[in-house]
Amino acid sequence: MTQYKLLTPGPLTTTETVKAQMLEDRCTWDDDYKDLTQSIRQKLLTIGMADTNKYTTVLQQGSGSFVVESVLQTALSNDDHILIISNGAYGERMIKMAQVMNKRVTSVYSPYNAIPNINELKQIIEDDTTITHLAFVHCETTTGILNPIKEICEIATQKNLQVIVDAMSSFGGVPINVEELNIDYLISSANKCIQGVPGFGFVIAKRTSLELCKGNATSISLDLYDQWKNMNIDGKWRFTSPTHVVASFSQAIRELEEEGGVVQRYQRYQSNNTYIINEMKKMGFEPYVKNTVQSPIITTFLYPNESFDFKDFYEYMKHRNFVLYPGKLMNKPSFRIGNIGDLHRNDFELMIKLIKQYRIMRGE
Ligand SMILES: Cc1ncc(COP(=O)(O)O)c(C=O)c1O
């Protein structure tokens, strides 16, 4: 079995101990397993710096998109109107979801390499008093840009709007004070910065907001309110839960704590991201977004020249156990390097050494 180093934003490289948890089979109705669920819910609040009296956590089966969809389904009533900010594929996906659900949605777009214009957002909200909710992506994994969570949340609070944050690829890797930011729904999933494996996602929700959502969802499986009420009884999930994934996620949280918590993990990600960018620049690879808005999670690099063959580069690296990530830009050839997961400076030093060797081999 090859243990690849995944330079991707999830599924990502996990530790042996996280993987080992999946060797034990567990029952969904067993008390130990239900306790595991309850303890994960509690620990996620601690990671999000959210008070138990004001906030709750709901776990939801499926990939991250299922959880985003369940929040939009549940948080929005027929009378609500949501403003969705987009500067990448995941913002666009949220807009599409809301439209397919026939929710009332206004969308505002920024270029993929630019953060949203705060004054423009203020103006839109000022001009349309029917807007009740605001949604955006924190780290747009499409490019690696980090949107200004504080400024956006502040506008929402000033205008009394409920806030939905897709923090899929940042929660656990970038400190987020959910309560201080007055976020109503924060969404993330098991296989991102907490460094678990894929299979479910979660929502940190403001109790007073979620409490008002009964009957909003027009889907049974994506009804977050119903999921919450059932999970609250004793920790049993409504439908079959991904038991192996849940157990390994619990271990992943323990390992986050052992590392020193989110601040320490953030520092590891940040320092490795800076190292990668500096070394890649020396070899002629320019990052797509400016340093001031670059997240510590994943970086988009432009091809260094027209003859650059990503497929060939990818295969070269894969044969040496490093799996790169293709780009997602429409107008510029690019690729991405994610640096989250159980990856450390020595891994990235080796990665850079291999990239140097590749460039020399290709005469560049
Ligand atoms: C910011 C963001 N939102 C949503 C998603 C969708 O998650 P999934 O692919 O697990 O459905 C991703 C996936 O990487 C993401 O990075």
Side-chain angles (χ1 to χ4, degrees):
M1 208 187 325
T2 314
Q3 291 294 359
Y4 288 110
K5 304 278 180 194
L6 301 187
L7 305 169
T8 62
L12 36 64
T13 312
T14 55
T15 61
E16 290 300 312
T17 35
V18 162
K19 286 191 263 284
Q21 283 295 326
M22 291 186 286
L23 294 174
E24 187 180 324
D25 301 315
R26 292 169 172 88
C27 289
T28 54
W29 45 261
D30 180 75
D31 282 344
D32 289 344
Y33 180 70
K34 288 190 284 193
D35 290 348
L36 200 62
T37 295
Q38 298 297 53
S39 119
I40 288 173
R41 293 177 69 202
Q42 184 56 45
K43 284 184 174 183
L44 287 173
L45 290 181
T46 308
I47 295 170
M49 296 177 252
D51 183 81
T52 318
N53 295 317
K54 293 189 189 142
Y55 283 88
T56 184
T57 315
V58 194
L59 313 184
Q60 167 75 45
Q61 295 94 334
S63 82
S65 304
F66 288 64
V67 190
V68 176
E69 199 152 358
S70 78
V71 170
L72 295 174
Q73 273 282 353
T74 310
L76 300 170
S77 75
N78 289 337
D79 299 327
D80 289 327
H81 179 183
I82 187 165
L83 177 66
I84 304 182
I85 304 168
S86 170
N87 55 353
Y90 297 108
E92 279 161 22
R93 189 177 295 174
M94 263 206 281
I95 292 166
K96 193 166 175 203
M97 283 172 177
Q99 286 168 341
V100 167
M101 286 172 214
N102 278 327
K103 302 287 184 189
R104 189 166 173 206
V105 49
T106 294
S107 32
V108 55
Y109 297 91
S110 302
Y112 276 25
N113 59 351
I115 56 170
N117 181 318
I118 297 293
N119 288 332
E120 186 193 351
L121 289 178
K122 276 189 184 156
Q123 197 59 53
I124 294 171
I125 298 165
E126 198 83 47
D127 291 347
D128 191 341
T129 52
T130 65
I131 294 171
T132 52
H133 291 68
L134 178 66
F136 68 98
V137 178
H138 184 207
C139 171
E140 231 325 333
T141 328
T142 312
T143 57
I145 199 166
L146 194 69
N147 286 318
I149 192 166
K150 189 163 177 283
E151 285 82 350
I152 301 176
C153 288
E154 257 166 29
I155 309 177
T157 301
Q158 278 161 15
K159 294 290 170 193
N160 220 10
L161 307 183
Q162 292 203 7
V163 191
I164 299 170
V165 185
D166 171 349
M168 204 71 72
S169 61
S170 56
F171 185 76
V174 177
I176 302 175
N177 190 322
V178 176
E179 190 176 341
E180 203 171 276
L181 293 169
N182 198 23
I183 293 169
D184 291 274
Y185 303 92
L186 177 134
I187 307 157
S188 190
S189 70
N191 57 292
K192 301 285 188 192
C193 296
I194 306 220
Q195 299 183 181
V197 301
F200 75 94
F202 54 88
V203 182
I204 297 184
K206 200 188 278 174
R207 285 176 185 273
T208 49
S209 303
L210 190 54
E211 199 59 76
L212 299 174
C213 294
K214 187 174 183 181
N216 282 351
T218 53
S219 155
I220 299 291
S221 15
L222 297 180
D223 186 341
L224 195 76
Y225 177 89
D226 204 37
Q227 181 89 344
W228 177 45
K229 287 291 168 183
N230 276 272
M231 200 166 263
N232 266 352
I233 299 169
D234 60 357
K236 184 164 183 312
W237 300 43
R238 267 188 317 166
F239 311 131
T240 303
S241 61
T243 47
H244 300 77
V245 179
V246 171
S248 67
F249 186 70
S250 176
Q251 174 64 23
I253 291 182
R254 258 195 301 279
E255 293 177 14
L256 172 63
E257 289 163 354
E258 281 161 16
E259 187 170 346
V262 179
V263 172
Q264 284 299 116
R265 183 156 291 178
Y266 168 71
Q267 280 163 4
R268 168 164 64 94
Y269 288 172
Q270 182 69 72
S271 121
N272 288 335
N273 182 266
T274 305
Y275 170 78
I276 294 167
I277 291 177
N278 288 342
E279 293 300 318
M280 291 296 281
K281 274 180 162 176
K282 286 183 203 161
M283 288 185 273
F285 293 96
E286 279 305 314
Y288 174 64
V289 301
K290 282 207 190 89
N291 201 32
T292 48
V293 288
Q294 170 65 49
S295 73
I297 307 293
I298 183 167
T299 312
T300 296
F301 290 101
L302 303 175
Y303 287 9
N305 51 51
E306 277 182 11
S307 60
F308 183 74
D309 182 348
F310 178 69
K311 183 104 189 63
D312 183 61
F313 177 43
Y314 179 90
E315 290 302 332
Y316 180 91
M317 294 300 285
K318 188 177 166 194
H319 279 114
R320 287 149 188 86
N321 293 345
F322 283 94
V323 179
L324 289 156
Y325 204 48
K328 219 175 159 90
L329 303 179
M330 295 300 170
N331 54 352
K332 284 187 175 163
S334 63
F335 65 93
R336 289 173 288 176
I337 297 183
N339 56 270
I340 59 177
D342 182 38
L343 293 175
H344 303 270
R345 182 57 62 90
N346 56 333
D347 296 309
F348 293 112
E349 281 169 358
L350 178 57
M351 176 195 85
I352 291 292
K353 195 169 146 203
L354 291 169
I355 298 176
K356 276 183 188 155
Q357 279 171 9
Y358 175 78
R359 302 281 286 153
I360 289 166
M361 193 189 75
R362 287 277 163 258
E364 286 166 332

